């Protein structure tokens, strides 16, 4: 019962639990992965960056601190996370440097060739069709743009007390071949933990 409730909240936080408890869990538990992802995004002045499933909005804020006259867009389908991230980024939103959208990336309408970088942490386990989502990421990236996906590897997730009808753990090798199949080049795996259970995978859309 708790396993199912927690797993559903992790996929799409809602209500008070989402705004208070999920926020604490994400801030603490996901910090190492999110910090590694921000480093790999390595945002430059003028970059236009998209984060899918921004949760509490910390990555959005940290990337926005670095893009100068660029822009960070985020999309998340949780109303609770929209509220938390909106508060956390209010200064950047006021200045027009951050735009947060309440919606599902899989059905959102983005023009092609828009972003320099697309990043996402701890969301790939919830994508109903990861190949389709990777294709959409490829489409919205500019030629030469990069994707950064951060996640806990299947080898560790399989042993966690999670509802596997909600979470679909994925291995690093599967993510690598998914990205190659949809046309990405230079796919690289960056271990965040030495044992490889927490990783970021980066790849480029060819010019
Ligand atoms: C486990 S939380 C991770 C939050 C944050 N990225 C982190 O690592 O702390 C997953 C987040 O992704 C969002 N999400 C999952 N799938 C999504 C999708 N297809 N489109 C938009 N948001 C999505 C959820 O609402 C939730 O806020």
């Amino acid at each position: 019962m708790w396993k199912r409730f927690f797993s559903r909240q992790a996929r799409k936080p809602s209500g008070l639990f989402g705004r208070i408890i999920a926020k604490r869990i994400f801030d603490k538990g996901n910090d190492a992965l999110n910090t590694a992802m921000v480093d790999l995004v390595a945002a430059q002045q003028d970059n236009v960056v998209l984060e899918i499933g921004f949760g509490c909005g910390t990555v959005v804020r940290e990337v926005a601190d670095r893009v100068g006259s660029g822009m960070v867009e985020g999309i998340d389908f949780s109303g609770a996370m929209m509220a938390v991230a909106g508060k956390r980024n209010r200064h950047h939103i006021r200045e027009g440097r951050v735009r947060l959208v309440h919606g599902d990336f899989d059905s959102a309408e983005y023009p092609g060739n828009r972003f320099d970088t697309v990043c996402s942490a701890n969301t790939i386990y919830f994508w109903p069709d990861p190949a389709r989502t990777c294709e959409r990421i490829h489409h919205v990236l500019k030629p030469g743009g990069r994707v950064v996906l951060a996640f806990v590897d299947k080898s560790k997730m399989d042993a966690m007390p999670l509802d596997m009808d909600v979470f679909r753990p994925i291995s690093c090798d599967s993510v690598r071949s998914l990205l190659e199949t949809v046309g990405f080049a230079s796919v690289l795996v960056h271990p965040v933990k030495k044992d490889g259970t927490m990783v970021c995978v980066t790849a480029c859309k060819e010019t």
Side-chain angles (χ1 to χ4, degrees), residues 2-23 25-26 76-78 80-81 126 166-167:
W2 164 250
K3 224 163 70 169
R4 188 159 188 79
F5 175 76
F6 174 79
S7 300
R8 286 182 166 183
Q9 281 288 335
R11 175 182 171 272
K12 186 176 184 180
S14 62
L16 263 189
F17 185 94
R19 284 201 299 277
I20 297 168
I21 313 291
K23 176 177 150 208
I25 295 172
F26 293 166
D76 199 297
F77 58 24
S78 156
M81 291 297 99
F126 309 116
V166 180
F167 273 86

Side-chain angles (χ1 to χ4, degrees), residues 41-191:
V41 167
Q44 307 291 310
Q45 300 271 318
D46 296 340
N47 276 181
V48 183
V49 177
L50 172 69
E51 185 183 11
I52 303 167
F54 49 72
C56 302
T58 309
V59 167
V60 168
R61 185 179 64 197
E62 290 183 13
V63 175
D65 285 341
R66 303 175 189 201
V67 293
S69 58
M71 167 100 203
V72 183
E73 296 192 15
I75 182 161
D76 199 297
F77 58 24
S78 156
M81 291 297 99
M82 276 296 289
V84 172
K87 222 175 188 177
R88 208 162 266 190
N89 284 280
R90 57 182 177 268
H91 160 72
H92 284 310
I93 291 171
R94 222 176 11 243
E95 302 214 328
R97 203 173 296 114
V98 163
R99 187 172 81 101
L100 300 181
V101 171
H102 186 198
D104 185 336
F105 175 71
D106 285 336
S107 52
E109 288 190 14
Y110 285 105
N113 303 334
R114 168 157 176 71
F115 298 102
D116 296 287
T117 307
V118 174
C119 64
S120 193
N122 290 306
T123 64
I124 196 166
Y125 339 107
F126 309 116
W127 296 351
D129 182 350
R132 186 168 167 267
T133 304
C134 289
E135 262 172 25
R136 286 176 61 80
I137 292 173
H138 190 271
H139 173 70
V140 302
L141 277 170
K142 294 177 185 170
R146 292 168 69 243
V147 58
V148 185
L149 299 177
F151 55 97
V152 176
D153 187 76
K154 185 175 188 323
S155 58
K156 175 155 185 190
M157 278 232 142
D158 279 345
M160 290 166 80
L162 300 167
D163 183 334
M164 297 309 178
D165 288 335
V166 180
F167 273 86
R168 277 176 300 268
I170 187 161
S171 72
C172 197
D173 287 342
S174 301
V175 174
R176 183 206 298 260
S177 69
L178 260 179
L179 291 169
E180 284 170 351
T181 304
V182 304
F184 280 101
S186 310
V187 183
L188 292 173
V189 175
H190 311 261

